[in-house]
Amino acid sequence: MKIIPHGAAQEVTGSCHEIRLNSGVRILLDCGLFQGHRKLAVAKNAEFPFDPKDINAVVLSHAHADHVGRIPLLYKQGYRGAVHCTYATKDLADVMLQDSGYIHEKDEEYFCKHLPDSMLPCGGPLYTQQDAIDCMEIFQGQNYGDWFNVCDGVKAQFLDSGHIVGAAMMVLEIIEDGTLHRIGFSGDLGRNMLPIIRNPSDMPPVETLICESTYGNRKHEDIQTAKHQLQKVIVDTAKRGGKVVIPAFSLERTQEIVYDLHVLWDAKEIPAVPIVIDSPLASRVTDVFMKHPECYDKDMYEKFLAKAHNPFQFSLVRYTESVDESKELNNTPGPMIIMAGSGMCEAGRIRHHLKNLIEDSRNTVVAVGYMAENTLGRSIIDKEITEVTIFQKTYEKKAETVYINAYSGHADMADLDSFICKVEGLQKLILVHGELVQMQPLADRLKNVCKAEIYMPEREEEIEV
Ligand SMILES: [Zn+2]
Ligand SMILES: [Zn+2]
Protein backbone atom coordinates (compact mmCIF):
# COMPACT_ATOMS: atom_id res chain seq x y z
CA MET A 1 0.00 0.00 0.00
CA LYS A 2 0.94 3.65 -0.30
CA ILE A 3 0.66 6.67 1.97
CA ILE A 4 0.17 9.98 0.16
CA PRO A 5 -0.01 13.31 2.04
CA HIS A 6 -2.42 15.70 0.31
CA GLY A 7 -1.80 18.48 2.85
CA ALA A 8 0.14 19.35 6.04
CA ALA A 9 3.24 18.16 4.17
CA GLN A 10 6.18 20.38 5.15
CA GLU A 11 3.53 22.86 6.35
CA VAL A 12 1.18 23.05 9.32
CA THR A 13 -2.33 23.33 7.85
CA GLY A 14 -4.51 21.30 5.45
CA SER A 15 -4.04 17.95 7.24
CA CYS A 16 -5.08 15.15 4.84
CA HIS A 17 -3.22 11.86 4.32
CA GLU A 18 -4.38 9.08 2.05
CA ILE A 19 -3.81 5.36 2.60
CA ARG A 20 -4.19 3.72 -0.81
CA LEU A 21 -4.39 -0.07 -0.70
CA ASN A 22 -3.28 -2.28 -3.59
CA SER A 23 -6.92 -3.40 -3.85
CA GLY A 24 -7.86 0.17 -4.82
CA VAL A 25 -9.45 1.02 -1.44
CA ARG A 26 -8.69 4.66 -0.51
CA ILE A 27 -8.91 6.02 3.04
CA LEU A 28 -8.35 9.63 4.13
CA LEU A 29 -6.95 10.49 7.54
CA ASP A 30 -8.35 14.03 8.13
CA CYS A 31 -9.64 16.43 5.49
CA GLY A 32 -8.56 19.86 6.73
CA LEU A 33 -8.54 23.41 5.51
CA PHE A 34 -5.38 25.16 4.33
CA GLN A 35 -4.99 28.41 6.29
CA GLY A 36 -2.57 31.33 6.13
CA HIS A 37 -1.98 33.70 3.22
CA ARG A 38 -5.51 34.22 1.94
CA LYS A 39 -5.00 34.11 -1.83
CA LEU A 40 -2.82 30.99 -1.73
CA ALA A 41 -5.13 29.23 0.71
CA VAL A 42 -8.24 29.95 -1.39
CA ALA A 43 -6.66 28.28 -4.43
CA LYS A 44 -5.38 25.26 -2.44
CA ASN A 45 -8.74 24.72 -0.74
CA ALA A 46 -10.92 24.84 -3.85
CA GLU A 47 -9.68 21.65 -5.57
CA PHE A 48 -8.95 18.15 -4.29
CA PRO A 49 -6.17 16.20 -6.04
CA PHE A 50 -8.61 13.25 -6.29
CA ASP A 51 -12.26 12.68 -7.09
CA PRO A 52 -14.10 12.64 -3.72
CA LYS A 53 -16.39 9.92 -5.09
CA ASP A 54 -13.36 7.56 -5.27
CA ILE A 55 -12.67 7.78 -1.53
CA ASN A 56 -14.02 4.88 0.56
CA ALA A 57 -13.73 6.23 4.12
CA VAL A 58 -12.49 9.14 6.23
CA VAL A 59 -11.04 8.83 9.75
CA LEU A 60 -10.80 12.13 11.59
CA SER A 61 -8.40 13.08 14.39
CA HIS A 62 -10.10 16.20 15.83
CA ALA A 63 -12.34 19.21 15.20
CA HIS A 64 -9.80 21.97 14.45
CA ALA A 65 -10.45 23.54 11.02
CA ASP A 66 -7.07 22.48 9.65
CA HIS A 67 -8.16 18.83 10.17
CA VAL A 68 -11.93 18.84 9.56
CA GLY A 69 -12.52 22.05 7.57
CA ARG A 70 -12.91 20.56 4.07
CA ILE A 71 -15.38 17.77 4.93
CA PRO A 72 -18.38 19.89 3.75
CA LEU A 73 -16.61 20.41 0.42
CA LEU A 74 -15.85 16.69 0.13
CA TYR A 75 -19.54 15.99 0.74
CA LYS A 76 -20.65 18.71 -1.69
CA GLN A 77 -18.47 17.09 -4.37
CA GLY A 78 -20.13 13.69 -3.96
CA TYR A 79 -18.39 11.82 -1.13
CA ARG A 80 -20.95 9.66 0.71
CA GLY A 81 -18.77 7.28 2.77
CA ALA A 82 -18.50 7.61 6.54
CA VAL A 83 -16.46 10.12 8.56
CA HIS A 84 -15.35 8.26 11.70
CA CYS A 85 -14.40 10.33 14.75
CA THR A 86 -14.97 10.41 18.51
CA TYR A 87 -18.42 11.51 19.72
CA ALA A 88 -17.04 14.79 21.07
CA THR A 89 -15.29 15.55 17.78
CA LYS A 90 -18.56 14.94 15.95
CA ASP A 91 -20.46 17.45 18.13
CA LEU A 92 -17.64 20.01 17.97
CA ALA A 93 -17.34 19.61 14.18
CA ASP A 94 -21.06 20.41 13.87
CA VAL A 95 -20.55 23.76 15.63
CA MET A 96 -17.19 24.63 14.03
CA LEU A 97 -18.17 23.72 10.45
CA GLN A 98 -21.39 25.73 10.56
CA ASP A 99 -19.39 28.73 11.75
CA SER A 100 -16.84 28.12 9.01
CA GLY A 101 -19.60 27.89 6.34
CA TYR A 102 -21.08 31.15 7.60
CA ILE A 103 -17.66 32.86 7.37
CA HIS A 104 -17.13 31.53 3.80
CA GLU A 105 -20.50 33.05 2.84
CA LYS A 106 -19.66 36.42 4.43
CA ASP A 107 -16.21 36.45 2.83
CA GLU A 108 -17.79 35.83 -0.54
CA GLU A 109 -20.27 38.70 -0.05
CA TYR A 110 -17.37 40.99 0.84
CA PHE A 111 -15.31 39.94 -2.21
CA CYS A 112 -18.27 40.42 -4.56
CA LYS A 113 -18.87 43.92 -3.21
CA HIS A 114 -15.24 45.08 -3.19
CA LEU A 115 -13.45 43.23 -6.02
CA PRO A 116 -14.04 43.19 -9.80
CA ASP A 117 -15.34 39.87 -11.20
CA SER A 118 -11.95 39.06 -12.75
CA MET A 119 -10.31 39.09 -9.31
CA LEU A 120 -12.90 36.98 -7.51
CA PRO A 121 -11.06 34.03 -5.95
CA CYS A 122 -13.54 31.31 -7.00
CA GLY A 123 -17.10 30.77 -8.12
CA GLY A 124 -19.10 31.11 -4.93
CA PRO A 125 -18.18 30.36 -1.32
CA LEU A 126 -16.09 27.23 -0.65
CA TYR A 127 -19.20 25.93 1.13
CA THR A 128 -22.17 27.39 2.97
CA GLN A 129 -23.57 26.96 6.45
CA GLN A 130 -26.25 24.71 4.91
CA ASP A 131 -23.55 22.51 3.29
CA ALA A 132 -22.01 22.15 6.76
CA ILE A 133 -25.36 21.11 8.25
CA ASP A 134 -25.96 18.62 5.40
CA CYS A 135 -22.58 16.86 5.69
CA MET A 136 -23.16 15.91 9.33
CA GLU A 137 -25.28 12.96 8.18
CA ILE A 138 -22.13 11.00 7.27
CA PHE A 139 -20.35 11.52 10.63
CA GLN A 140 -20.15 8.38 12.78
CA GLY A 141 -19.23 8.75 16.45
CA GLN A 142 -16.91 6.17 18.07
CA ASN A 143 -15.77 5.59 21.66
CA TYR A 144 -12.14 6.01 22.60
CA GLY A 145 -10.53 2.55 22.81
CA ASP A 146 -13.15 0.67 20.75
CA TRP A 147 -12.09 -1.04 17.52
CA PHE A 148 -14.39 -0.18 14.58
CA ASN A 149 -14.54 -1.25 10.95
CA VAL A 150 -13.37 1.38 8.48
CA CYS A 151 -13.89 -0.82 5.41
CA ASP A 152 -13.23 -4.43 4.36
CA GLY A 153 -9.94 -5.59 5.89
CA VAL A 154 -9.37 -2.29 7.74
CA LYS A 155 -10.20 -1.52 11.38
CA ALA A 156 -9.19 1.36 13.59
CA GLN A 157 -9.03 2.51 17.20
CA PHE A 158 -8.97 6.04 18.69
CA LEU A 159 -6.74 6.83 21.68
CA ASP A 160 -6.29 10.06 23.68
CA SER A 161 -4.02 12.57 22.00
CA GLY A 162 -4.24 15.13 24.84
CA HIS A 163 -4.65 18.05 22.41
CA ILE A 164 -8.25 19.30 22.67
CA VAL A 165 -11.56 17.80 23.82
CA GLY A 166 -12.42 14.86 21.52
CA ALA A 167 -8.98 14.80 19.88
CA ALA A 168 -7.54 11.40 19.11
CA MET A 169 -4.51 9.66 17.76
CA MET A 170 -5.35 6.46 15.92
CA VAL A 171 -4.10 3.00 15.04
CA LEU A 172 -5.25 1.26 11.85
CA GLU A 173 -4.93 -2.49 11.35
CA ILE A 174 -4.92 -3.33 7.68
CA ILE A 175 -4.85 -6.82 6.21
CA GLU A 176 -3.36 -6.74 2.73
CA ASP A 177 -2.43 -9.85 0.71
CA GLY A 178 -2.84 -11.91 3.89
CA THR A 179 -0.40 -9.79 5.93
CA LEU A 180 -1.34 -7.55 8.85
CA HIS A 181 0.11 -4.04 8.79
CA ARG A 182 -0.33 -1.52 11.58
CA ILE A 183 -0.26 2.20 10.84
CA GLY A 184 -0.36 4.89 13.53
CA PHE A 185 -1.37 8.54 13.06
CA SER A 186 -0.62 11.00 15.88
CA GLY A 187 -3.18 13.63 14.77
CA ASP A 188 -2.14 16.76 16.69
CA LEU A 189 -0.17 15.45 19.65
CA GLY A 190 -0.97 17.34 22.86
CA ARG A 191 0.92 17.73 26.12
CA ASN A 192 0.82 16.38 29.63
CA MET A 193 -0.98 18.47 32.25
CA LEU A 194 -3.18 20.60 29.97
CA PRO A 195 -6.32 21.68 31.86
CA ILE A 196 -9.60 19.74 31.33
CA ILE A 197 -8.42 16.80 29.20
CA ARG A 198 -6.41 13.64 29.83
CA ASN A 199 -2.73 13.31 28.94
CA PRO A 200 -1.75 11.79 25.58
CA SER A 201 -1.60 7.99 25.40
CA ASP A 202 1.46 6.14 24.19
CA MET A 203 1.26 4.91 20.60
CA PRO A 204 0.87 1.09 20.58
CA PRO A 205 3.30 -0.95 18.46
CA VAL A 206 3.04 0.01 14.75
CA GLU A 207 5.33 -0.51 11.75
CA THR A 208 4.48 2.87 10.21
CA LEU A 209 3.83 6.11 12.10
CA ILE A 210 2.57 9.35 10.57
CA CYS A 211 3.52 11.95 13.17
CA GLU A 212 3.04 15.69 13.55
CA SER A 213 6.12 17.90 14.05
CA THR A 214 4.73 21.41 14.69
CA TYR A 215 7.23 22.17 17.47
CA GLY A 216 9.95 19.70 16.53
CA ASN A 217 12.59 22.24 17.55
CA ARG A 218 11.00 24.21 20.38
CA LYS A 219 10.85 23.82 24.13
CA HIS A 220 7.63 25.00 25.84
CA GLU A 221 7.40 26.58 29.25
CA ASP A 222 5.78 24.46 31.95
CA ILE A 223 1.97 24.64 31.74
CA GLN A 224 1.74 25.58 35.47
CA THR A 225 3.54 28.87 34.75
CA ALA A 226 0.64 29.89 32.46
CA LYS A 227 -1.86 30.03 35.31
CA HIS A 228 0.52 32.03 37.50
CA GLN A 229 1.26 34.51 34.72
CA LEU A 230 -2.47 34.93 34.16
CA GLN A 231 -3.09 35.47 37.86
CA LYS A 232 -0.38 38.15 38.08
CA VAL A 233 -1.73 40.07 35.08
CA ILE A 234 -5.25 40.09 36.54
CA VAL A 235 -4.12 41.24 40.00
CA ASP A 236 -1.90 44.02 38.57
CA THR A 237 -4.49 45.28 36.07
CA ALA A 238 -7.32 45.21 38.62
CA LYS A 239 -5.21 47.34 40.99
CA ARG A 240 -5.04 50.01 38.25
CA GLY A 241 -8.81 49.75 37.65
CA GLY A 242 -8.05 48.55 34.10
CA LYS A 243 -9.54 45.91 31.84
CA VAL A 244 -7.79 42.69 30.80
CA VAL A 245 -8.57 41.89 27.17
CA ILE A 246 -7.85 38.35 25.96
CA PRO A 247 -8.13 37.52 22.26
CA ALA A 248 -9.14 33.88 22.53
CA PHE A 249 -9.57 30.91 20.23
CA SER A 250 -13.15 29.67 20.64
CA LEU A 251 -12.31 25.97 20.69
CA GLU A 252 -10.37 24.83 23.78
CA ARG A 253 -8.24 27.86 24.68
CA THR A 254 -11.26 29.91 25.86
CA GLN A 255 -12.51 27.00 27.97
CA GLU A 256 -9.01 26.36 29.38
CA ILE A 257 -8.71 29.99 30.49
CA VAL A 258 -12.21 30.00 32.05
CA TYR A 259 -11.31 26.75 33.83
CA ASP A 260 -8.06 28.23 35.18
CA LEU A 261 -9.86 31.43 36.25
CA HIS A 262 -12.39 29.27 38.09
CA VAL A 263 -9.62 27.37 39.90
CA LEU A 264 -7.89 30.69 40.76
CA TRP A 265 -11.18 32.16 42.04
CA ASP A 266 -11.96 29.09 44.18
CA ALA A 267 -8.46 29.42 45.69
CA LYS A 268 -9.10 33.17 46.28
CA GLU A 269 -6.03 34.00 44.19
CA ILE A 270 -7.78 36.57 41.98
CA PRO A 271 -10.00 39.49 43.04
CA ALA A 272 -13.75 39.56 42.31
CA VAL A 273 -13.48 40.95 38.79
CA PRO A 274 -16.35 40.43 36.31
CA ILE A 275 -15.36 38.02 33.53
CA VAL A 276 -17.19 38.40 30.21
CA ILE A 277 -16.96 35.78 27.46
CA ASP A 278 -17.96 37.89 24.48
CA SER A 279 -18.08 35.19 21.80
CA PRO A 280 -21.25 33.36 20.75
CA LEU A 281 -19.12 30.66 19.08
CA ALA A 282 -17.15 30.06 22.30
CA SER A 283 -20.45 29.75 24.19
CA ARG A 284 -21.71 27.10 21.77
CA VAL A 285 -18.40 25.20 22.04
CA THR A 286 -18.59 25.39 25.85
CA ASP A 287 -22.08 23.80 25.72
CA VAL A 288 -20.60 20.90 23.70
CA PHE A 289 -17.80 20.48 26.28
CA MET A 290 -20.43 19.96 28.99
CA LYS A 291 -21.92 17.08 27.00
CA HIS A 292 -18.67 15.10 26.98
CA PRO A 293 -17.35 14.24 30.45
CA GLU A 294 -15.84 11.08 28.91
CA CYS A 295 -12.99 13.33 27.69
CA TYR A 296 -12.11 14.82 31.08
CA ASP A 297 -9.13 14.20 33.37
CA LYS A 298 -9.08 13.37 37.09
CA ASP A 299 -8.67 17.00 38.22
CA MET A 300 -11.73 18.07 36.27
CA TYR A 301 -13.68 15.23 37.88
CA GLU A 302 -12.48 15.81 41.45
CA LYS A 303 -12.58 19.63 41.46
CA PHE A 304 -15.83 20.05 39.57
CA LEU A 305 -17.93 17.12 38.36
CA ALA A 306 -17.87 15.14 41.60
CA LYS A 307 -19.29 18.23 43.33
CA ALA A 308 -21.83 18.88 40.54
CA HIS A 309 -19.95 22.12 39.99
CA ASN A 310 -19.95 23.53 36.41
CA PRO A 311 -16.29 24.34 35.59
CA PHE A 312 -17.26 26.94 32.99
CA GLN A 313 -19.89 28.78 35.03
CA PHE A 314 -19.27 30.59 38.32
CA SER A 315 -20.40 33.78 40.01
CA LEU A 316 -17.96 36.09 38.16
CA VAL A 317 -18.58 34.74 34.63
CA ARG A 318 -21.10 35.98 32.09
CA TYR A 319 -21.54 34.84 28.47
CA THR A 320 -22.88 37.46 26.04
CA GLU A 321 -24.95 36.73 22.93
CA SER A 322 -26.15 39.96 21.30
CA VAL A 323 -24.08 42.71 19.71
CA ASP A 324 -25.81 45.25 21.99
CA GLU A 325 -24.59 43.38 25.08
CA SER A 326 -21.11 43.41 23.60
CA LYS A 327 -21.23 47.17 22.88
CA GLU A 328 -22.53 47.88 26.37
CA LEU A 329 -19.21 46.63 27.78
CA ASN A 330 -17.60 49.86 26.49
CA ASN A 331 -19.71 51.88 28.89
CA THR A 332 -18.97 49.68 31.88
CA PRO A 333 -15.93 50.81 33.89
CA GLY A 334 -13.10 48.42 34.86
CA PRO A 335 -11.78 46.37 36.38
CA MET A 336 -13.06 43.62 34.10
CA ILE A 337 -11.81 40.67 32.06
CA ILE A 338 -13.08 40.42 28.47
CA MET A 339 -12.42 37.37 26.29
CA ALA A 340 -13.46 37.60 22.64
CA GLY A 341 -12.59 36.04 19.29
CA SER A 342 -10.95 35.78 16.98
CA GLY A 343 -7.75 34.44 18.45
CA MET A 344 -5.40 36.26 16.09
CA CYS A 345 -7.62 39.41 16.11
CA GLU A 346 -8.28 39.19 12.37
CA ALA A 347 -12.07 39.18 12.74
CA GLY A 348 -14.85 39.18 15.32
CA ARG A 349 -15.68 41.28 18.36
CA ILE A 350 -12.12 41.48 19.73
CA ARG A 351 -11.23 44.24 17.25
CA HIS A 352 -13.99 46.50 18.62
CA HIS A 353 -12.71 46.00 22.17
CA LEU A 354 -9.09 46.59 21.15
CA LYS A 355 -9.85 49.90 19.42
CA ASN A 356 -11.63 51.11 22.58
CA LEU A 357 -9.08 49.86 25.08
CA ILE A 358 -5.63 49.87 23.52
CA GLU A 359 -4.91 53.57 24.10
CA ASP A 360 -5.43 53.38 27.88
CA SER A 361 -2.34 52.44 29.89
CA ARG A 362 -4.44 50.97 32.73
CA ASN A 363 -5.52 48.11 30.44
CA THR A 364 -3.66 44.91 29.51
CA VAL A 365 -3.94 42.86 26.33
CA VAL A 366 -3.04 39.22 27.01
CA ALA A 367 -2.19 36.93 24.09
CA VAL A 368 -2.65 33.26 24.98
CA GLY A 369 -2.14 31.57 21.61
CA TYR A 370 -0.02 31.52 18.50
CA MET A 371 -0.14 34.79 16.51
CA ALA A 372 0.72 34.26 12.84
CA GLU A 373 2.77 36.77 10.90
CA ASN A 374 0.90 39.71 9.34
CA THR A 375 -1.99 39.51 11.80
CA LEU A 376 -3.23 42.25 14.15
CA GLY A 377 -2.51 39.85 17.03
CA ARG A 378 1.18 39.65 16.02
CA SER A 379 1.44 43.49 15.83
CA ILE A 380 -0.01 43.70 19.32
CA ILE A 381 2.50 41.32 20.94
CA ASP A 382 5.47 42.67 18.95
CA LYS A 383 7.14 45.08 21.41
CA GLU A 384 8.90 46.95 18.55
CA ILE A 385 5.57 48.05 17.08
CA THR A 386 4.12 51.11 18.82
CA GLU A 387 1.01 51.73 16.69
CA VAL A 388 -1.63 49.38 15.30
CA THR A 389 -4.28 49.82 12.62
CA ILE A 390 -7.81 48.70 13.41
CA PHE A 391 -10.66 49.34 10.93
CA GLN A 392 -8.38 51.61 8.84
CA LYS A 393 -7.58 53.86 11.84
CA THR A 394 -4.25 54.08 13.66
CA TYR A 395 -4.08 53.65 17.45
CA GLU A 396 -1.16 54.14 19.80
CA LYS A 397 -0.32 51.03 21.85
CA LYS A 398 -0.51 52.41 25.39
CA ALA A 399 -2.04 49.36 27.08
CA GLU A 400 0.38 46.82 28.56
CA THR A 401 0.82 43.73 26.37
CA VAL A 402 1.64 40.29 27.77
CA TYR A 403 2.28 37.08 25.83
CA ILE A 404 1.62 33.85 27.73
CA ASN A 405 2.80 31.09 25.40
CA ALA A 406 2.75 28.23 27.91
CA TYR A 407 -0.86 27.33 26.99
CA SER A 408 0.27 25.68 23.73
CA GLY A 409 -1.78 22.55 22.96
CA HIS A 410 1.02 20.88 20.99
CA ALA A 411 3.81 18.57 22.10
CA ASP A 412 7.23 20.25 22.20
CA MET A 413 10.57 18.78 21.09
CA ALA A 414 11.10 16.66 24.20
CA ASP A 415 7.51 15.35 24.09
CA LEU A 416 7.86 14.40 20.40
CA ASP A 417 11.23 12.68 20.93
CA SER A 418 9.90 10.55 23.76
CA PHE A 419 6.55 9.77 22.03
CA ILE A 420 8.28 8.51 18.88
CA CYS A 421 11.15 6.67 20.59
CA LYS A 422 8.69 4.64 22.68
CA VAL A 423 6.92 3.13 19.64
CA GLU A 424 7.81 -0.56 19.43
CA GLY A 425 8.57 -2.16 16.06
CA LEU A 426 8.63 1.13 14.18
CA GLN A 427 10.08 0.79 10.67
CA LYS A 428 8.90 3.91 8.85
CA LEU A 429 8.36 7.33 10.38
CA ILE A 430 6.57 9.90 8.23
CA LEU A 431 6.84 13.44 9.61
CA VAL A 432 4.00 15.82 8.70
CA HIS A 433 2.19 18.91 10.07
CA GLY A 434 5.30 21.04 10.53
CA GLU A 435 7.56 23.43 8.67
CA LEU A 436 10.99 22.15 7.64
CA VAL A 437 12.73 24.38 10.19
CA GLN A 438 10.93 22.45 12.95
CA MET A 439 10.85 19.03 11.27
CA GLN A 440 14.48 18.75 10.12
CA PRO A 441 16.06 19.15 13.59
CA LEU A 442 13.57 16.55 14.92
CA ALA A 443 14.58 14.13 12.15
CA ASP A 444 18.28 14.82 12.82
CA ARG A 445 17.91 14.03 16.53
CA LEU A 446 15.87 10.90 15.87
CA LYS A 447 18.37 9.49 13.35
CA ASN A 448 20.73 8.80 16.25
CA VAL A 449 18.27 7.09 18.54
CA CYS A 450 15.57 5.49 16.39
CA LYS A 451 16.13 2.74 13.83
CA ALA A 452 13.15 3.67 11.60
CA GLU A 453 13.55 5.16 8.14
CA ILE A 454 12.47 8.80 8.34
CA TYR A 455 10.45 10.55 5.62
CA MET A 456 9.57 14.24 5.27
CA PRO A 457 7.32 14.07 2.22
CA GLU A 458 6.13 16.93 0.06
CA ARG A 459 2.49 17.09 -0.96
CA GLU A 460 1.48 14.23 -3.32
CA GLU A 461 4.73 12.32 -2.71
CA GLU A 462 3.94 8.58 -2.56
CA ILE A 463 5.50 6.46 0.18
CA GLU A 464 5.35 2.68 -0.22
CA VAL A 465 4.75 0.92 3.12
ZN1 LIG B 1 -5.32 20.88 16.35
ZN1 LIG C 1 -3.40 20.94 13.39
Side-chain angles (χ1 to χ4, degrees):
M1 73 193 84
K2 290 188 181 101
I3 292 178
I4 310 159
H6 297 302
Q10 300 189 7
E11 63 188 332
V12 172
T13 67
S15 179
C16 183
H17 310 293
E18 180 182 339
I19 302 177
R20 192 181 299 173
L21 306 193
N22 295 337
S23 62
V25 164
R26 303 173 73 172
I27 300 161
L28 294 185
L29 310 181
D30 287 349
C31 188
L33 209 60
F34 291 98
Q35 295 164 310
H37 193 281
R38 193 175 216 148
K39 236 181 178 173
L40 282 176
V42 164
K44 278 160 94 177
N45 281 325
E47 303 262 341
F48 288 111
F50 46 78
D51 182 345
K53 294 191 202 79
D54 293 341
I55 301 298
N56 299 84
V58 178
V59 192
L60 195 64
S61 66
H62 66 292
H64 272 149
D66 62 315
H67 297 258
V68 68
R70 284 211 289 171
I71 298 277
L73 185 66
L74 196 76
Y75 181 86
K76 200 170 120 176
Q77 296 188 358
Y79 174 70
R80 288 296 180 274
V83 175
H84 298 279
C85 58
T86 64
Y87 285 105
T89 293
K90 181 182 173 197
D91 288 346
L92 288 169
D94 190 13
V95 171
M96 298 306 285
L97 290 175
Q98 283 197 49
D99 185 69
S100 172
Y102 176 79
I103 290 168
H104 290 308
E105 287 178 50
K106 290 287 150 200
D107 269 5
E108 182 71 11
E109 266 174 39
Y110 177 86
F111 285 138
C112 291
K113 231 186 249 169
H114 295 92
L115 294 176
D117 276 1
S118 60
M119 284 176 68
L120 285 179
C122 59
L126 192 64
Y127 55 85
T128 61
Q129 188 171 3
Q130 188 59 48
D131 293 326
I133 293 169
D134 293 344
C135 81
M136 288 314 296
E137 66 148 335
I138 58 172
F139 278 67
Q140 281 188 19
Q142 307 288 350
N143 287 315
Y144 283 103
D146 283 357
W147 283 98
F148 56 90
N149 280 325
V150 177
C151 34
D152 273 353
V154 182
K155 55 182 188 162
Q157 181 192 40
F158 289 124
L159 298 166
D160 284 310
S161 74
H163 172 60
I164 63 168
V165 163
M169 61 178 81
M170 63 188 82
V171 187
L172 292 104
E173 285 195 352
I174 302 175
I175 297 174
E176 191 170 58
D177 307 326
T179 312
L180 173 72
H181 195 96
R182 291 165 61 99
I183 297 179
F185 174 41
S186 66
D188 281 0
L189 185 64
R191 305 167 65 189
N192 287 338
M193 303 300 289
L194 280 181
I196 305 170
I197 50 174
R198 291 188 295 271
N199 293 341
S201 304
D202 289 338
M203 178 60 75
V206 290
E207 293 90 60
T208 303
L209 174 65
I210 306 167
C211 189
E212 72 124 308
S213 56
T214 320
Y215 293 121
N217 199 30
R218 205 175 102 173
K219 182 97 197 75
H220 292 326
E221 278 177 67
D222 193 308
I223 186 74
Q224 286 305 316
T225 61
K227 195 165 70 187
H228 295 130
Q229 285 172 301
L230 186 66
Q231 184 246 0
K232 185 178 177 324
V233 166
I234 291 165
V235 170
D236 292 350
T237 311
K239 269 187 204 152
R240 304 194 290 256
K243 294 180 179 173
V244 174
V245 195
I246 309 178
F249 297 85
S250 317
L251 172 50
E252 195 77 19
R253 197 57 43 84
T254 300
Q255 293 78 20
E256 286 173 1
I257 305 273
V258 173
Y259 175 96
D260 270 358
L261 290 171
H262 197 164
V263 174
L264 287 167
W265 171 242
D266 282 351
K268 299 280 169 281
E269 289 180 27
I270 52 169
V273 178
I275 301 165
V276 186
I277 317 303
D278 191 23
S279 159
L281 177 61
S283 304
R284 287 197 289 278
V285 170
T286 305
D287 290 343
V288 176
F289 271 42
M290 288 313 294
K291 280 170 65 183
H292 290 285
E294 78 278 9
C295 300
Y296 297 159
D297 65 8
K298 193 163 161 262
D299 255 19
M300 178 80 153
Y301 179 77
E302 284 174 357
K303 285 189 180 127
F304 297 103
L305 300 189
K307 301 176 192 162
H309 204 34
N310 183 336
F312 308 114
Q313 194 62 266
F314 54 108
S315 58
L316 303 179
V317 172
R318 180 159 69 90
Y319 290 81
T320 62
E321 265 302 323
S322 72
V323 174
D324 285 343
E325 268 180 283
S326 173
K327 283 185 180 159
E328 190 50 40
L329 299 173
N330 295 330
N331 306 323
T332 317
M336 182 189 288
I337 300 167
I338 302 173
M339 293 172 68
S342 71
M344 297 193 204
C345 313
E346 284 298 276
R349 295 182 179 178
I350 190 69
R351 292 180 302 167
H352 295 274
H353 294 302
L354 287 170
K355 82 177 165 45
N356 292 323
L357 300 171
I358 202 151
E359 291 199 316
D360 185 337
S361 60
R362 289 174 303 172
N363 300 329
T364 311
V365 185
V366 185
V368 290
Y370 176 71
M371 298 293 184
E373 268 182 79
N374 305 317
T375 59
L376 175 57
R378 176 65 76 91
S379 314
I380 285 169
I381 59 170
D382 187 335
K383 300 275 181 200
E384 311 263 285
I385 297 175
T386 56
E387 287 179 339
V388 290
T389 307
I390 307 171
F391 298 121
Q392 279 103 38
K393 222 181 134 207
T394 305
Y395 296 85
E396 231 185 295
K397 252 168 61 180
K398 289 188 190 153
E400 187 186 349
T401 57
V402 176
Y403 183 28
I404 305 180
N405 62 12
Y407 275 109
S408 175
H410 282 273
D412 72 0
M413 53 195 280
D415 300 327
L416 283 167
D417 287 2
S418 102
F419 175 74
I420 294 167
C421 287
K422 274 196 243 166
V423 180
E424 284 173 38
L426 187 62
Q427 293 167 13
K428 294 193 179 185
L429 171 66
I430 303 171
L431 295 177
V432 297
H433 199 291
E435 289 170 9
L436 268 180
V437 287
Q438 294 290 330
M439 196 185 277
Q440 187 69 59
L442 172 66
D444 291 343
R445 287 196 309 276
L446 289 169
K447 258 180 227 154
N448 304 320
V449 287
C450 158
K451 286 194 193 86
E453 265 178 90
I454 302 173
Y455 298 83
M456 294 181 284
E458 292 177 14
R459 249 192 302 154
E460 306 312 317
E461 195 176 320
E462 300 186 354
I463 299 168
E464 198 77 44
V465 299

